Amino acid sequence: MTELILHHYPESPFSEKVRAILGAKGLAWRSLQVSMVMPRPATTALTGGYRRIPVLQVGADVYCDTALLAAYLDGAAGLGGSGPTLFPASNLLAAQTLARWVDTELFWAAVTLRFLPENMGSFFADPAAAQAFAEDRANFAAGAQVRRPPVDEAQARYARFLAEMDTQLGDGRPYLFGADWSIADFAVYHMLWFIHAGGGMADWLTRTLQVRAWMDRMRAFGQHPGEAITAADALTIASEANPLTIEQMSDIPGILPGTTVDVAPVDYGVMPSRGTLLRCDTQTIVIRREHALTGAVNVHFPRHGFGVAASG
Ligand SMILES: N[C@@H](CCC(=O)N[C@@H](CS)C(=O)NCC(=O)O)C(=O)O
């Protein structure tokens, strides 16, 4: 089996979602630690422009966005992971809808809460790093279509969510939808991990004991570090591998496979990746790219939350 290489950084909440899934499923992985700010030359050579973190590299195939990473790691590729599926049929709509809400609406409240002065922890103890972060994220935010709520709204949203979650866990179930985990547990986990990483809001969990116990259970999954790999080695792996053969199709009128396209998130971090369209269906978008450092690669995106446009 080709190695799973996660491009990530320790402070990234969406990376923590994937690290926890890897741990829960008992999957070995390689850790390519990237900078918290741009540039990230190896990762960008692979994705061709998409700049959100994390991304998963498997040989010469690159998977973007944790929704797609979760689906990939759930076993579609026969990876040999253990444990129940992340997508149980009996709760599929509820689990997916909750995960999507948490990754968007709760995320923007979490950003407000995490960057409250009393909840920053050691995050920006170094003023130069704080300045570099602010400048980088101003670039990242260009063209974004999201609203970051003010503190009162963010606190109310989170308080209500915690109270409802505590009620749902009140019958003693170990996971949000019962005896087994689902994608919703990992989405909620990484958001709470992020909000509480600064340590300034610990008392919020002393009021919701079921959530606190669930959080301790979930946190254990994030404790399985990957073996470090350098950017140079990851690029060599990409250039020595062949990208997967993809059955070509497109459901977009007027954009056939073979068209040069730009693929980008529709909400924030809207920097596109350019390549030749291989496939676009209800699940995924796949483009083929060439780069001197990587050779031919496939870049895979989820369909939900991404747009495709013919390159002008
Ligand atoms: N929907 C995306 C969200 C990813 C995301 O927002 N990642 C953050 C880090 S946790 C990011 O890319 N921030 C800007 C950066 O790191 O450059 C996913 O599920 O992967």
Side-chain angles (χ1 to χ4, degrees):
M1 188 194 84
T2 313
E3 292 179 307
L4 305 172
I5 304 172
L6 188 67
H7 297 228
H8 70 128
Y9 53 85
E11 300 85 352
S12 154
F14 283 93
S15 301
E16 178 66 8
K17 185 206 287 189
V18 178
R19 293 186 294 249
I21 291 172
L22 289 162
K25 295 219 157 256
L27 291 165
W29 58 286
R30 305 294 301 272
S31 166
L32 174 46
Q33 197 171 314
V34 300
S35 158
M36 197 156 58
V37 296
M38 298 297 270
R40 301 172 185 135
T43 309
T44 309
L46 283 161
T47 65
Y50 176 79
R51 68 152 282 186
R52 300 198 304 201
I53 293 293
V55 301
L56 180 72
Q57 176 193 347
V58 188
D61 282 76
V62 181
Y63 298 85
C64 301
D65 196 287
T66 61
L68 184 62
L69 270 56
Y72 181 81
L73 295 175
D74 201 48
L79 299 171
S82 56
T85 176
L86 297 170
F87 304 100
S90 57
N91 286 307
L92 190 57
L93 270 179
Q96 287 279 45
T97 306
L98 176 54
R100 289 178 189 135
W101 183 85
V102 167
D103 280 0
T104 52
E105 296 298 309
L106 193 59
F107 176 55
W108 289 105
V111 171
T112 296
L113 298 174
R114 182 68 180 84
F115 293 113
L116 288 173
E118 66 273 23
N119 199 31
M120 293 259 257
S122 59
F123 215 167
F124 293 120
D126 171 10
Q131 178 66 20
F133 183 83
E135 285 168 13
D136 179 73
R137 291 312 195 263
N139 291 332
F140 180 64
Q145 309 260 10
V146 291
R147 176 174 174 273
R148 184 171 154 180
V151 178
D152 65 307
E153 268 182 50
Q155 286 176 330
R157 193 179 299 175
Y158 185 47
R160 184 74 193 266
F161 178 79
L162 278 184
E164 289 179 351
M165 183 175 165
D166 210 51
T167 302
Q168 178 149 332
L169 292 170
D171 61 5
R173 62 181 70 191
Y175 298 106
L176 289 171
F177 292 105
D180 291 331
W181 65 52
S182 73
I183 186 59
D185 289 279
F186 292 91
V188 174
Y189 161 64
H190 85 95
M191 213 48 74
L192 268 61
W193 175 90
F194 180 52
I195 291 171
H196 292 284
M201 290 177 58
D203 58 325
W204 285 56
L205 294 183
T206 59
R207 299 195 286 264
T208 52
L209 294 179
Q210 306 291 345
V211 175
R212 198 166 66 172
W214 171 92
M215 192 60 188
D216 289 344
R217 220 164 16 251
M218 295 300 298
R219 204 182 279 280
F221 294 134
Q223 308 302 314
H224 299 272
E227 187 192 337
I229 185 169
T230 63
D233 284 349
L235 290 173
T236 303
I237 287 172
S239 58
E240 288 178 354
N242 290 319
L244 295 174
T245 302
I246 303 289
E247 192 182 341
Q248 299 200 11
M249 70 144 306
S250 167
D251 63 9
I252 311 177
I255 303 187
L256 297 171
T259 307
T260 303
V261 292
D262 289 324
V263 182
V266 297
D267 49 0
Y268 65 96
V270 296
M271 297 74 209
S273 295
R274 180 165 293 185
T276 305
L277 185 68
L278 294 182
R279 186 172 182 92
C280 181
D281 62 21
T282 59
Q283 302 274 347
T284 56
I285 304 160
V286 189
I287 59 173
R288 171 71 55 88
R289 293 184 27 78
E290 295 274 347
H291 190 285
L293 294 174
T294 64
V297 296
N298 291 338
V299 191
H300 305 243
F301 306 90
R303 183 73 186 272
H304 180 91
F306 284 76
V308 182
S311 309

